[in-house]
Amino acid sequence: MNRQHALVLLAAAVLALCGCSASVPLSEPDSAALATLAEVAGPSSDVNADRITSTECWLPSAHAIEDPSVDSDTLWRVLCRVHYTDDSGERYQDATCIGDFASDPMLDHCYRWAHYDFAPTFEDFPAVSAD
């Protein structure tokens, strides 16, 4: 194996380990959900909308609610990270958001996320920009 092939394999391994991927176009439902999440995630989880600098969320279509007691294949649940500034500098607040691709709007509020043992955290899945 020559050096160039080794570098390509190394780059692919690094991207796979960090959860990064080449830019893939978002589906229309994901794009609409992310636009709604950008508007809703911060303000509904008590972040001042004027201080928000960006929002990133898990991809809704990759996080369907899989619960046999729920009769829907359009429901999803994601974590979002809302980045903002305050007097102490750059900060973030995580929020959990439950939406429905079949509803309009898909969601109207999120909840401040507090981590509990054995619960997923924002870093568990790659995120995409919601802005």
Side-chain angles (χ1 to χ4, degrees):
M1 178 179 343
N2 66 32
R3 181 181 167 128
Q4 187 176 18
H5 287 112
L7 289 174
V8 169
L9 288 175
L10 177 62
V14 168
L15 289 173
L17 288 174
C18 76
C20 304
S21 63
S23 180
V24 176
L26 295 174
S27 69
E28 188 176 320
D30 277 330
S31 292
L34 289 166
T36 303
L37 286 163
E39 294 175 7
V40 171
S44 67
S45 59
D46 298 327
V47 177
N48 182 328
D50 294 333
R51 295 185 174 255
I52 296 172
T53 57
S54 67
T55 302
E56 54 185 333
C57 302
W58 293 347
L59 192 62
S61 64
H63 292 88
I65 294 177
E66 296 176 6
D67 183 342
S69 67
V70 177
D71 184 24
S72 175
D73 58 355
T74 59
L75 294 173
W76 45 266
R77 178 180 329 150
V78 298
L79 289 182
C80 291
R81 179 158 285 172
V82 179
H83 298 270
Y84 65 98
T85 57
D86 67 10
D87 295 338
S88 66
E90 294 182 14
R91 316 240 333 143
Y92 68 83
Q93 169 64 51
D94 289 346
T96 184
C97 306
I98 300 170
D100 187 346
F101 285 126
S103 294
D104 185 20
M106 289 185 205
L107 74 155
D108 60 7
H109 64 279
C110 297
Y111 305 93
R112 289 179 71 101
W113 179 247
H115 177 68
Y116 299 96
D117 288 345
F118 307 108
T121 62
F122 183 77
E123 294 82 8
D124 288 339
F125 296 98
V128 293
S129 174
D131 302 313

